[in-house]
């Protein structure tokens, strides 16, 4: 598990839910094992730069929309 200094926060689960994409479908599109997507979503694994860019490209958003070094605000939060 990455340390706090190495932890990369992500919105993969949110993007998948918005688009109705399963972990398995995303994994197939990216050429990774479906469990890798689960590890990423739970923060148990930080993606390589190459994988992070491929995930962002798959969702057609900038990488900063998917990944951050600081936690994302909760959905519906006013702060």
């Amino acid at each position: 598990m990455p340390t706090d200094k190495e932890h990369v926060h992500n919105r993969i689960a949110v993007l998948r839910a918005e688009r109705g994409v399963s972990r398995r479908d995303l994994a197939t599109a990216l050429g990774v094992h479906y469990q890798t997507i689960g590890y990423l979503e739970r923060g148990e694994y930080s993606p390589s730069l190459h994988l992070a860019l491929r995930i962002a490209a798959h969702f057609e958003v900038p990488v900063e929309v998917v990944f951050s070094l600081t936690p994302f605000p909760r959905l519906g939060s006013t702060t």
Side-chain angles (χ1 to χ4, degrees), residues 27-58:
T28 298
L30 297 171
V32 299
H33 195 277
Y34 75 92
Q35 288 180 325
T36 301
I37 303 303
Y39 293 142
L40 289 167
E41 289 180 352
R42 291 188 300 273
E44 295 173 7
Y45 171 72
S46 293
S48 67
L49 177 58
H50 186 255
L51 180 55
L53 292 170
R54 287 178 28 232
I55 292 169
H58 177 81

Side-chain angles (χ1 to χ4, degrees), residues 10-25:
N10 72 74
R11 288 184 170 146
I12 297 170
V14 172
L15 291 165
R16 278 194 319 96
E18 285 178 354
R19 291 163 171 81
V21 176
S22 71
R23 284 182 179 166
R24 193 172 297 274
D25 290 342

Side-chain angles (χ1 to χ4, degrees), residues 49-78:
L49 177 58
H50 186 255
L51 180 55
L53 292 170
R54 287 178 28 232
I55 292 169
H58 177 81
F59 289 116
E60 298 179 329
V61 296
V63 73
E64 297 88 354
V65 169
V66 187
F67 299 98
S68 175
L69 296 176
T70 58
F72 288 103
R74 293 185 57 87
L75 292 177
S77 173
T78 57

